[in-house]
Amino acid sequence: MKTSAKEISKAQQALRDSGIVNGQGEYKSVFGGYISSFGASLVQAGLLPTVIFYENKDAEAKERYKVIEALKKMLNINADQLATYLLQNKKSDDRKFISDVANGMVALKLALRMYKEKG
């Protein structure tokens, strides 16, 4: 599936709203890795374990949760925690939803390339 200009624009807004991209149009280089590795984790571990891993604010990677914040904005999900949303709505094994997640992450990855990486 091709990523549309509308999806890229929505991803740009999600990156800014989540705090991944700052007001000067810059992002920490670590976010490129977080977003890129999300797909591999999705394939290897599954959606729910990946989301739980990324939402863990106590982890060494203290800002990784911002990727999930951006993804929730892409998917128009207003829940505090995506993992809880997945469980309550039985979405963790829903192929259509997983496809939407993957497409949202692709849009975020492409949109991130439009900004300047800072250290």
Side-chain angles (χ1 to χ4, degrees):
M1 179 180 156
K2 291 183 180 179
T3 306
S4 69
K6 184 178 177 181
E7 290 168 316
I8 298 288
S9 180
K10 187 174 184 178
Q12 285 182 292
Q13 188 63 48
L15 290 169
R16 289 190 300 268
D17 289 349
S18 65
I20 292 173
V21 172
N22 67 23
Q24 290 76 40
E26 300 171 328
Y27 66 94
K28 294 179 184 176
S29 61
V30 69
F31 284 108
Y34 293 158
I35 291 172
S36 292
S37 64
F38 186 95
S41 181
L42 180 63
V43 170
Q44 287 186 325
L47 180 58
L48 185 58
T50 298
V51 168
I52 291 169
F53 177 74
Y54 273 71
E55 281 186 324
N56 181 4
K57 292 182 181 178
D58 295 330
E60 207 172 289
K62 299 254 184 243
E63 293 185 301
R64 186 172 44 216
Y65 74 93
K66 291 180 180 181
V67 173
I68 298 299
E69 293 300 314
L71 178 61
K72 288 190 306 187
K73 291 180 184 310
M74 290 296 297
L75 300 172
N76 298 315
I77 295 173
N78 294 318
D80 287 334
Q81 288 198 314
L82 184 55
T84 303
Y85 173 88
L86 294 174
L87 290 170
Q88 290 176 343
N89 295 284
K90 299 178 180 22
K91 294 286 191 183
S92 61
D93 294 321
D94 180 333
R95 290 183 188 266
K96 164 81 170 83
F97 185 79
I98 293 169
S99 177
D100 290 345
V101 167
N103 291 336
M105 290 305 294
V106 167
L108 288 169
K109 184 176 181 177
L110 292 171
L112 190 66
R113 293 179 181 169
M114 298 174 74
Y115 297 102
K116 184 178 180 182
E117 182 179 324
K118 65 172 188 173

